[in-house]
Amino acid sequence: MTTESTNTDKPTNDENIEQNQADINAESQAVEGEVVDSAESNESAEQEQPTLSPEQEKIAELEQALAAAQATIDGNKDAVIRAKAEVDNMRRRSAQEVDKAKKFALEKFAVEMLTVVDNLERGLATIDAEAEEQKAIFEGVNLTLQGLISGLEKFAVTAIDPQDQPFNPELHQAMSMQEVEGVAANTVIAVMQKGYELNGRLIRPAMVMVSK
């Protein structure tokens, strides 16, 4: 009797197979349910996303094109401003160069004329204006000299005669130095040759003697 009772309590192999099959089916159904739910969620999300009408798509395209055109305009505007500034600078430099050329075009000619002025002044220094026989020569040479100086001044050529003035190394060239009683140091005590300027530019320094 004991043996029969034990066999009755144990599940048969067929029952175990059926139970396993049931478990597998249940899991499959659960997985399928999750897949279906996920698919339905995706479809719902796609359905919720609004679709644009042709007019709206056209407007969006035009807005993008407008933004791109505005960016291009901003870039071109900056380039134009830079180009205009460069042109203005070039025009200003050109005007300065032209003005400088006009002012100093006669520099070489003026320097050559200064030699004539120097010779006339030396000639006058050798003529005795008080002597009756030399008075006419003195007046003639002096008139020629004054006329030449006047002509040079019309073209902005001016003399530098620094007698008794402080020595200026930018305008004067010291040929020698001499100690003179009662005269302050660095004072021009003699002018050996006048200097000249053309429109404010030094074209020849004055050769001078300076006190110690």
Side-chain angles (χ1 to χ4, degrees):
M1 292 180 65
T2 305
T3 303
E4 292 177 358
S5 174
T6 302
N7 291 336
T8 303
D9 295 336
K10 288 183 179 180
T12 63
N13 290 334
D14 293 338
E15 292 176 347
N16 290 335
I17 291 172
E18 292 177 356
Q19 182 64 37
N20 291 336
Q21 186 65 38
D23 294 339
I24 292 171
N25 292 336
E27 292 178 357
S28 298
Q29 292 176 356
V31 171
E32 290 177 356
E34 292 178 355
V35 171
V36 171
D37 292 340
S38 176
E40 291 177 351
S41 298
N42 292 335
E43 291 178 357
S44 177
E46 292 178 354
Q47 292 175 356
E48 291 177 357
Q49 184 176 2
T51 57
L52 298 177
S53 64
E55 292 79 4
Q56 291 175 331
E57 291 179 354
K58 187 64 176 178
I59 292 173
E61 291 176 0
L62 292 175
E63 289 177 347
Q64 292 178 354
L66 178 61
Q70 187 63 45
T72 302
I73 291 172
D74 293 340
N76 291 339
K77 185 185 297 183
D78 183 66
V80 169
I81 292 173
R82 291 178 181 274
K84 183 179 182 301
E86 184 63 24
V87 170
D88 290 341
N89 290 334
M90 292 177 61
R91 185 181 292 111
R92 190 180 303 109
R93 287 194 296 267
S94 298
Q96 291 175 350
E97 291 175 0
V98 170
D99 184 60
K100 187 182 295 184
K102 290 179 179 179
K103 284 184 177 179
F104 306 112
L106 296 175
E107 182 172 351
K108 292 183 179 180
F109 175 78
V111 171
E112 292 297 326
M113 290 297 99
L114 296 182
T115 302
V116 180
V117 173
D118 294 338
N119 292 334
L120 291 174
E121 288 179 342
R122 293 190 188 98
L124 283 177
T126 62
I127 299 174
D128 185 3
E130 300 298 329
E132 191 65 29
E133 64 276 9
Q134 296 184 359
K135 191 172 184 180
I137 298 175
F138 179 87
E139 290 179 354
V141 174
N142 187 49
L143 285 174
T144 302
L145 174 61
Q146 296 304 319
L148 181 56
I149 292 175
S150 177
L152 291 174
E153 288 177 349
K154 289 180 180 179
F155 292 93
V157 179
T158 56
I160 300 174
D161 188 2
Q163 180 69 41
D164 299 327
Q165 296 178 8
F167 176 73
N168 184 352
E170 295 182 358
L171 302 176
H172 312 152
Q173 181 178 351
M175 305 303 295
S176 63
M177 297 187 70
Q178 183 176 346
E179 186 173 352
V180 180
E181 186 178 354
V183 177
N186 292 324
T187 300
V188 176
I189 57 177
V191 179
M192 301 174 183
Q193 187 181 70
K194 293 179 183 178
Y196 285 88
E197 291 179 325
L198 173 61
N199 284 307
R201 176 195 284 183
L202 183 69
I203 58 176
R204 191 180 78 178
M207 297 181 182
V208 298
M209 181 184 295
V210 184
S211 62
K212 290 185 179 179

